[in-house]
Amino acid sequence: LATAWTRFVELDKESRPDPGPATLAQYEGHWGAFIDWMAKNAPSIKTLVAVRDEHAKGFISNLNAQGLSAGRVNKYKRFLKMFFRIMVPGSENPFAGIQTNKLVVQTAKQPFTVEELRQIVARADGEMKTLFLLGAGTGLRLGDCLTLQWGEVDLARRLVFRVPHKTARKGETVKIGLPPTLAAHLASLPRRGPYVLPGLAAEYAAGKAPKITRRIQDHFEQCGIQTVKPGTGEGTKKRAVVLKGFHSFRHSYVSLNADAGTPQATMQKLVGHGSPMMTLHYLTPTDSM
């Protein structure tokens, strides 16, 4: 397991798919998440051939518990099935029996309007308010906001230095400027341990990410925000199509910076995207805001 990714990359192009750099980086993130899970949940397993069906099912269950979209979980399933097929040909593939969700409706998260951002922050308190300010002011993903440490925050220079969890195996640090409101809020907080959000960080570490996500969505709905596509979700026969969630802060961050004239190349570095096309995917004109 420890050397499998290096061996995969070193295979000749006829033995494995030949994706572009951005897709290969995404694959590396998928593999890193899997071996991190294995290290925590099955530390005695050291080789590819020792990975069993129960490990594959446990990992996918963990992804679902984190609140990832069905489409994103499908990407993990497809990659890992392909990876094991190529790396251990002839052996039983632990991901072979895990089916992708055929009912996924691919709908990109929508950014919040400026008024929605104001409402979300104004009606929150405690660590949830800090969490929302971090999401809106840095564009970091939920897991990175929940586990942000004071050692990664430089209030004197109003900067955050963070290695995003999704691309942690690459070891690239993103440097993000803090808006004045967020910097002032962080400066006012007491420091109880290494984490900026000690209570939420403890919940996240205990595997309670779905409960945190539910509280976030409940807050958005209390602010009068339409979070799911009409006609889907609870009370209907259709799977909920989420239009706005915590990830919408990231879309808002990219769009608002673009409106302010931030160059696309700079935005790509700020949000840690592997390609300009991914940043464009997040870009939504905010004229209506």
Side-chain angles (χ1 to χ4, degrees):
L1 290 177
T3 60
W5 177 255
T6 300
R7 289 162 45 212
F8 176 77
V9 173
E10 291 175 347
L11 290 173
D12 60 74
K13 303 299 175 62
E14 294 182 357
S15 301
R16 65 167 174 84
D18 184 22
T23 302
L24 191 62
Q26 186 179 72
Y27 285 171
E28 185 177 10
H30 292 345
W31 180 248
F34 176 67
I35 62 171
D36 286 347
W37 184 89
M38 288 293 293
K40 294 176 182 177
N41 295 276
S44 63
I45 303 299
K46 304 296 183 183
T47 62
L48 290 171
V49 294
V51 177
R52 296 288 181 258
D53 293 354
E54 58 265 28
H55 301 130
K57 292 176 182 177
F59 175 67
I60 297 302
S61 294
N62 177 66
L63 294 180
N64 289 323
Q66 292 179 42
L68 300 186
S69 69
R72 188 171 170 193
V73 174
N74 273 350
K75 291 180 181 179
Y76 279 90
K77 293 176 182 177
R78 294 189 187 101
F79 162 72
L80 288 165
K81 183 177 180 179
M82 175 270 291
F83 189 91
F84 276 87
R85 184 183 71 247
I86 290 172
M87 296 303 294
V88 283
S91 297
E92 184 175 347
N93 189 330
F95 285 88
I98 297 181
Q99 300 299 314
T100 54
N101 191 328
K102 304 298 184 182
L103 303 178
V104 173
V105 178
Q106 299 293 344
T107 303
K109 294 290 190 302
Q110 298 176 357
F112 295 116
T113 66
V114 172
E115 182 55 34
E116 285 174 339
L117 290 172
R118 291 195 185 104
Q119 284 289 322
I120 289 168
V121 173
R123 299 181 64 169
D125 54 24
E127 289 195 1
M128 292 299 284
K129 182 168 189 169
T130 304
L131 175 63
F132 295 145
L133 282 169
L134 282 171
T138 67
L140 288 171
R141 298 176 181 88
L142 177 58
D144 289 314
C145 287
L146 292 171
T147 57
L148 185 68
Q149 299 190 33
W150 286 114
E152 299 169 309
V153 180
D154 185 340
L155 289 176
R157 293 190 291 165
R158 293 210 332 238
L159 292 170
V160 164
F161 299 87
R162 177 74 175 180
V163 177
H165 178 72
K166 187 175 180 180
T167 55
R169 291 185 62 80
K170 297 170 68 176
E172 295 181 1
T173 301
V174 295
K175 182 170 65 174
I176 306 170
L178 294 173
T181 302
L182 175 56
H185 179 80
L186 293 177
S188 72
L189 296 178
R191 301 198 180 193
R192 303 190 304 272
Y195 293 103
V196 175
L197 301 168
L200 289 172
E203 287 188 61
Y204 185 71
K208 297 181 180 179
K211 291 185 178 181
I212 297 173
T213 298
R214 185 63 263 167
R215 293 209 302 273
I216 290 170
Q217 294 301 105
D218 286 345
H219 181 80
F220 294 162
E221 290 164 10
Q222 289 165 11
C223 291
I225 297 171
Q226 180 76 47
T227 61
V228 299
K229 185 178 180 180
T232 70
E234 189 175 351
T236 73
K237 295 182 179 180
K238 295 183 179 180
R239 178 186 300 274
V241 178
V242 179
L243 300 177
K244 293 186 178 181
F246 191 87
H247 208 71
S248 294
F249 284 122
R250 193 166 169 84
H251 287 263
S252 301
Y253 180 80
V254 172
S255 294
L256 290 171
N257 269 276
D259 285 353
T262 304
Q264 184 181 333
T266 301
M267 281 307 309
Q268 184 182 334
K269 287 189 175 182
L270 285 175
V271 294
H273 285 156
S275 72
M277 290 306 296
M278 180 58 72
T279 306
L280 285 173
H281 170 71
Y282 277 70
L283 186 58
T284 302
T286 55
D287 292 342
S288 60
M289 294 185 181

